[in-house]
Amino acid sequence: MHVRHLTVADFRSYASADLPLETGVTTLVGLNGQGKTNLVEAVGYLATLSSHRVATDQPLVRFGAEQAVIRAAVVRDGRETLVELELNPGRANRARLNRSPVPRPREVLGTLRTVLFAPEDLALVKGDPSERRRFVDDLLVARQPRWAGVRSDYDRILKQRNALLKSAAPVLRRGRRPPPRPGTEPPEEAQASALHTLDVWNDHLSTVGAQLLYARLRLLRDLGPYLAKAYDEVSAGQSDARVSYRSSLREEAAAQLAAGEVPDVEVLRAELLATLEEVRGREVERGVSLVGPHRDDLVLTLGDLPAKGYASHGESWSFALGLKLAAYQLLRHDLGEDPVLVLDDVFAELDVGRRERLAAMVADCEQVLITAAVDADVPASLLGRTYAVSLGEVVLRE
Ligand SMILES: Nc1ncnc2c1ncn2[C@@H]1O[C@H](COP(=O)(O)OP(=O)(O)OP(=O)(O)O)[C@@H](O)[C@H]1O
Ligand SMILES: [Mg+2]
């Protein structure tokens, strides 16, 4: 698939911008702070309903404006779809497909698929577990948009379970009590009721958590070979890049998952429940949920060493890039069509060999959008159509 036309209004630094695009490579070149990333960020937002740079929508709306609009004509198998998003910070965002409003923005997921690599992705290797969880979960959604629903169900359950752990902690914690004062609820009853409610949330958490866990494990199993190949190609065979899953389950089950096994959903659900039982005391003590996909992590290894803390800057960068290229290949094979590949500022950080090899790897993608501060960063073979971006003006260079 590819974007044939991108329009933004009051998005980031742009009052308005209008960018016709074609298949093949398009490069946006310009000095720092001129608005290159802003444009590709808009493309990424249409595909994922989130920015790769910020967690809230407010910074995406041009300073002083009320709302931002992103609109793209997406071509897929020769058919064109117009996707439109209206970002209304503090109020609900709105979306339209072919000019008809859809009930929820989530309905547009899947219309445009992108794989975006940006400097922020270095956090995949160097950052917190949440960065890596977001990577797998975003990829799940890119593969099958219905996972967006499962993911938000899980987040809701987790929030409510944590709220219960906090509010009921005093009741859950106390053991035997003196006889109740007249007119108050007997403590045993209050405790039994809180325990019962906690059981209900354990049930929800393990049911939805097991689905998410299972999907992540399957995804990693599929992604592994693509990662190994992508890293091998970028680094010219310097070392093996691997990814495995670190779960918050009990030791034996966690070891199984780390070894790449993918148990059935029912097995995972039972294991989640059993682990929840085991950590109840600590959870009540701390007032947070200590077990489940929200506590898990991916372990990235390069050769025999963990990437985090050991890999060099260039290696970490290449690893993060390898993960994104692997995601691209996985989606391409899964869906039988090319997502749009976005490479934001990727070349400047790579040595010459890696730049050339990356250029060769992406040359056959249906559409690649590249940003760079200077032409010299991008291998000449890849430059493609070039736009000069300066103070929010985007001009095609002949
Ligand atoms: N909500 C906003 N309203 C107005 N201007 C904004 C907003 N958000 C960001 N900007 C401006 O957009 C500019 C950054 O644009 P962008 O990140 O696209 O730059 P860039 O061309 O990618 O630069 P670099 O080469 O440094 O990556 C900054 O000058 C910033 O002040
Ligand atoms: Mg930039």
Side-chain angles (χ1 to χ4, degrees), residues 158-174 185 190-191 193-195 197-198 201 283-289:
L158 186 64
K159 241 195 216 137
Q160 285 175 304
R161 188 174 185 275
N162 282 344
L164 172 74
L165 282 173
K166 275 208 183 72
S167 66
V171 187
L172 288 166
R173 225 180 273 147
R174 77 180 159 224
E185 198 181 357
Q191 192 180 30
S193 144
L195 278 173
T197 315
L198 187 58
W201 286 114
E283 286 193 328
V284 168
E285 205 53 51
R286 295 183 39 190
V288 286
S289 300

Side-chain angles (χ1 to χ4, degrees), residues 30-38 40 52-53 118-120 344-345 371-373:
L31 300 177
N32 296 144
Q34 301 301 303
K36 305 179 298 291
T37 302
N38 291 348
V40 293
H52 70 283
R53 296 200 282 193
E120 285 74 11
D344 181 26
D345 261 339
T371 75

Side-chain angles (χ1 to χ4, degrees), residues 238-242 299-307 310:
Q238 253 178 23
S239 42
D240 296 335
R242 283 189 315 274
V299 181
L300 310 177
T301 43
L302 208 47
D304 296 327
L305 296 174
Y310 288 85

Side-chain angles (χ1 to χ4, degrees), residues 262-276:
V262 184
D264 289 342
V265 180
E266 266 314 306
V267 174
L268 291 170
R269 182 179 128 79
E271 193 56 46
L272 272 167
L273 263 183
T275 314
L276 283 170

Side-chain angles (χ1 to χ4, degrees), residues 190 218 283 382:
R218 287 275 305 266
E283 286 193 328
L382 199 67

